[in-house]
């Protein structure tokens, strides 16, 4: 009777008209207890969590972007048991015959770190700082490995950088695998209250991959001795072959179309490999798969984009225990039930509000 609750941890939209859950949502999970229905030592369950930062579809350009959660770097879930049977991951309905075959997918990665707020106001935080003062650097390197990168398809890299300089023009040079990707000129800003805090540039470039490793180097040239450079974020979109390595999170834009049914084929899989459709991350569905040698295949409706995760349970994250939370109790006022948070500081006020609402 293990049950898991949580809303994913992503940042809520600021537009109040957008629907959202007003309570904790029960998440579907998959139990691995040897089939005896008892949670013994060594048993475990798996669930999928998006994490606090949102990966957003860019349908027009068939790629991805992100929304960084400015309030939290963690997602929280609530675990309970002996409160009735919990929600379990169900097997997805099998669609008709495939109309398109999928052997590669759209990979996406981003880097963003909120470290400094140059204007000291608002939510616009910036990450790594570029300067030659002690403990700071004019050059920074970032390395990524994307196994089985498709070498014949262009990769897209978006970079957002900024600079503070009151005279002269600063330059941020961006290199990909030692080749110049962008050379961004950042002009000076004024000292009026109406002038921007930083001079900002947000650019996207494309390059042909040259292997599975991508090394980005940022080098800042100061417009004057007091200039500072900043990296807000960068995003990487490229394609990889569907090769299973213990854990794989994937989606394919190329197969999406009206009436399409896609057949995905994963290489280097085995009998313990399973695939979940995580398009709705709170209620994943297990895909019906077929294993032939080391090739695992499954079919799915492709009229809209679906995201999947393949796992054999060997490469997973383990949640960290935070604290035990008291049960929330129903409180009866004038024959009606109200949920009262049991902290003493709120009980009297909650009872007063409940009585007023009842009246």
């Amino acid at each position: 009777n293990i049950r898991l609750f949580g809303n994913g941890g992503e940042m809520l939209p600021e537009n109040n008209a957008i629907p959202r859950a007003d309570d904790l949502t029960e998440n579907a999970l998959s139990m691995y207890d040897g089939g005896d229905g008892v949670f013994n030592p060594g048993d475990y369950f798996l669930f999928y969590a998006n994490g606090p930062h949102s990966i957003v579809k860019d349908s027009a350009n068939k790629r991805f972007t992100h929304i960084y959660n400015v309030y939290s770097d963690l997602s929280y879930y609530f675990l309970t048991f002996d409160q009735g049977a919990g929600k379990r991951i169900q097997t997805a309905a099998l669609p008709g015959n495939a109309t398109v075959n999928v052997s590669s997918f759209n990979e996406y990665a981003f880097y963003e770190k909120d470290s400094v707020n140059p204007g000291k106001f608002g939510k616009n935080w910036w990450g790594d700082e570029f300067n030659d003062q002690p403990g700071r650097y004019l050059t920074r390197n970032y390395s990524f490995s994307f196994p089985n990168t498709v070498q014949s398809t262009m990769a897209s890299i978006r970079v957002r950088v900024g600079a503070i300089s009151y005279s002269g023009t600063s330059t941020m040079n961006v290199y990909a695998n030692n080749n110049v990707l962008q050379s961004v000129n950042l002009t000076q800003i004024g000292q009026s209250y109406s002038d921007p805090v930083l001079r900002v540039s947000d650019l996207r470039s494309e390059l042909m991959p040259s292997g599975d490793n991508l090394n980005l180097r940022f080098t800042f040239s100061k417009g004057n001795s007091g200039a500072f450079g900043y990296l807000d974020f960068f995003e990487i979109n490229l394609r990889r072959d569907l090769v299973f390595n213990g854990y794989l999170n994937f989606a394919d834009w190329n197969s999406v179309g009206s009436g399409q049914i896609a057949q995905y084929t994963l290489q280097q899989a085995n009998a313990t490999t399973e695939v979940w459709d995580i398009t709705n991350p709170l209620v994943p569905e297990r895909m019906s798969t077929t294993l032939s040698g080391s090739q695992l295949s499954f079919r799915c409706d492709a009229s809209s984009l679906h995201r999947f995760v393949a796992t054999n349970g060997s490469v997973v994250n383990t949640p960290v225990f935070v604290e035990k939370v008291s049960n929330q109790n129903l409180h009866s006022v004038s024959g009606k039930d109200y949920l009262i948070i049991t902290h003493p500081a709120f009980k009297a006020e909650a009872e007063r509000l409940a009585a007023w609402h009842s009246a």
Side-chain angles (χ1 to χ4, degrees), residues 208-220:
M208 191 64 74
S210 57
D212 292 344
N213 297 319
L214 178 61
N215 300 304
L216 297 179
R217 184 170 83 253
F218 291 73
T219 300
F220 183 65

Side-chain angles (χ1 to χ4, degrees), residues 14-199:
E14 294 181 345
N15 184 351
N16 286 335
I18 297 176
R20 74 213 52 204
D22 65 356
D23 205 342
L24 289 174
T25 302
E26 183 169 6
N27 289 214
L29 56 89
S30 185
M31 187 67 64
Y32 301 85
D33 62 357
D36 61 3
V38 180
F39 201 67
N40 296 305
D43 293 345
Y44 63 96
F45 67 86
L46 297 179
F47 69 99
Y48 181 77
N50 267 346
H53 311 301
S54 304
I55 307 301
V56 181
K57 297 185 297 183
D58 179 357
S59 300
N61 297 294
K62 294 188 175 182
R63 58 187 175 219
F64 299 98
T65 183
H66 77 286
I67 297 176
Y68 195 83
N69 192 330
V70 300
Y71 301 109
S72 179
D73 291 323
L74 298 171
S75 297
Y76 293 89
Y77 290 82
F78 297 82
L79 185 68
T80 187
F81 54 92
D82 290 341
Q83 302 293 326
K87 183 178 288 187
R88 300 294 182 256
I89 293 176
Q90 304 298 312
T91 300
L94 196 63
N97 294 328
T99 60
V100 59
N101 294 314
V102 179
S103 59
S104 60
F105 69 98
N106 291 83
E107 173 68 284
Y108 173 77
F110 74 90
Y111 174 88
E112 181 170 353
K113 183 172 66 174
D114 284 354
S115 300
V116 60
N117 186 332
K120 295 180 171 57
F121 65 88
K123 297 176 298 189
N124 194 10
W125 287 70
W126 289 72
D128 296 328
E129 188 177 84
F130 293 76
N131 194 268
D132 54 2
Q133 293 183 0
R136 296 172 181 170
Y137 307 92
L138 290 172
T139 297
R140 293 179 181 270
N141 295 280
Y142 307 87
S143 297
F144 290 84
S145 177
F146 298 105
N148 309 294
T149 295
V150 176
Q151 307 294 316
S152 58
T153 303
M154 298 291 285
S156 172
I157 300 178
R158 178 188 175 194
V159 172
R160 190 169 192 263
V161 295
I164 299 177
S165 177
Y166 295 105
S167 64
T169 298
S170 300
T171 303
M172 184 74 79
N173 290 305
V174 185
Y175 301 85
N177 293 341
N178 295 321
N179 296 314
V180 177
L181 182 69
Q182 297 175 4
S183 185
V184 184
N185 292 324
L186 300 159
T187 58
Q188 68 187 49
I189 60 174
Q191 300 189 27
S192 168
Y193 73 91
S194 61
D195 289 315
V197 175
L198 292 89
R199 189 67 65 192

